[in-house]
Amino acid sequence: LYLKLLKDKNINKQPRLTNTATDGPALILEGLRMLWRPDIRWLVIMPLLINIILFLSATGFATQWLQDWITTITTSIPEWLQWLAWIIWFLFAILAMAIYAFSFTLLANLIGSPFYGVIAQRVIATEANSTVGSTSAAASAWQSVVREVQLIVYFVPRTLGVGVVALILSFIPVVNLLAPIIAASWAAWCLCLQYLDYAADSEGVAFVDLRNKVSANRLSSMGFGVSTMVASAVPVVNLVILPASVVAGSLLWCRQHRDIG
């Protein structure tokens, strides 16, 4: 009997987090491994197919728009100033890529939110060794969409503000070194909140309370955000990283943030 109890205890034991930035990559990898669990798989495949269509459409539109803009620039500037046109094009291309990536992530998460909310519930049930709550999948999906809109309202104006500050700093010598650090830190913070929120929302935790919980464990939270940001920067792979990050965020919520007062 003692050996059986000990075995059950070891099976249900959750991996310990070190409360450092190294937790992030480990959680992402664990999230990737869990994607094909039978009760989660279809929740990954459905938004994945939708996001592939969105990705191809948005990429085609953005590419055509950028090419048209380049043609307009190069034909309207005298030949002896063409070198300046290419510098402007390069800077504009970087800005266009950033806007494209940010917009795609927002749309992809909005489309996937009905599925991701259910994924978070099932991961929490597994971690807590319990059954999924009585809330229907449809109700949970709608709740996730509403919460996702709230996140967008929080993210968009602040992201624009951070972007303006980073742009201004980029023109100041020496200080301009801070611009990419500020922008990357904000992106990591947003991604951490984004993927922790599915689990927090499924347990009725308000968004403001989630921010407080994340701040209480800032190092590991930002490590998770940075890991997600790096993985999301890989084209095509980022389509799978979205649901994997939802799983990873739900694991982080259960193993660390959930027990904070």
Side-chain angles (χ1 to χ4, degrees):
L1 178 61
Y2 173 78
L3 292 176
K4 183 178 184 302
L5 290 174
L6 182 60
K7 180 179 179 181
D8 292 340
K9 180 180 179 181
N10 289 334
I11 290 176
N12 296 327
K13 186 178 180 180
Q14 300 170 350
R16 292 178 58 84
L17 295 180
T18 58
N19 197 23
T20 65
T22 59
D23 292 332
L27 288 168
I28 294 294
L29 290 175
E30 189 172 354
L32 285 169
R33 288 195 297 268
M34 292 180 64
L35 285 185
W36 309 115
R37 246 176 45 180
D39 62 330
I40 292 178
R41 190 179 337 171
W42 72 271
L43 295 167
V44 174
I45 293 175
M46 290 300 293
L48 178 61
L49 294 176
I50 297 173
N51 285 334
I52 287 174
I53 296 173
L54 173 65
F55 175 76
L56 295 176
S57 301
T59 301
F61 173 80
T63 301
Q64 184 60 49
W65 177 73
L66 187 58
Q67 287 177 345
D68 293 342
W69 191 87
I70 293 172
T71 302
T72 301
I73 287 293
T74 54
T75 55
S76 61
I77 293 180
E79 187 174 348
W80 63 278
L81 280 178
Q82 287 299 311
W83 63 272
L84 179 61
W86 287 108
I87 292 176
I88 295 174
W89 170 83
F90 178 72
L91 295 175
F92 185 82
I94 293 176
L95 177 61
M97 288 176 60
I99 294 173
Y100 163 74
F102 181 72
S103 301
F104 173 76
T105 301
L106 286 181
L107 287 174
N109 281 322
L110 182 60
I111 291 171
S113 58
F115 304 94
Y116 297 159
V118 179
I119 289 176
Q121 282 188 336
R122 295 186 177 182
V123 173
I124 290 173
T126 300
E127 287 291 292
N129 199 25
S130 62
T131 57
V132 178
S134 58
T135 304
S136 68
S140 176
W142 173 247
Q143 179 182 336
S144 297
V145 171
V146 173
R147 183 67 164 243
E148 187 65 29
V149 172
Q150 294 176 354
L151 262 68
I152 292 175
V153 171
Y154 171 82
F155 288 146
V156 171
R158 289 167 175 79
T159 299
L160 292 175
V162 171
V164 170
V165 171
L167 182 62
I168 293 173
L169 291 179
S170 65
F171 291 102
I172 304 175
V174 182
V175 179
N176 58 8
L177 297 176
L178 295 175
I181 297 176
I182 292 173
S185 298
W186 172 249
W189 172 257
C190 289
L191 289 172
C192 178
L193 290 177
Q194 172 74 68
Y195 292 113
L196 273 167
D197 188 67
Y198 294 106
D201 183 40
S202 69
E203 296 199 321
V205 177
F207 183 57
V208 63
D209 294 329
L210 170 64
R211 298 204 307 267
N212 293 334
K213 290 175 180 292
V214 171
S215 297
N217 288 277
R218 189 174 297 274
L219 186 59
S220 61
S221 298
M222 290 299 289
F224 169 64
V226 170
S227 300
T228 303
M229 180 176 63
V230 172
S232 299
V234 182
V236 181
V237 176
N238 57 7
L239 296 174
V240 181
I241 289 299
L242 294 179
S245 297
V246 174
V247 176
S250 301
L251 294 173
L252 180 60
W253 169 262
C254 290
R255 297 172 186 176
Q256 187 173 87
H257 301 288
R258 194 184 193 196
D259 295 327
I260 300 173

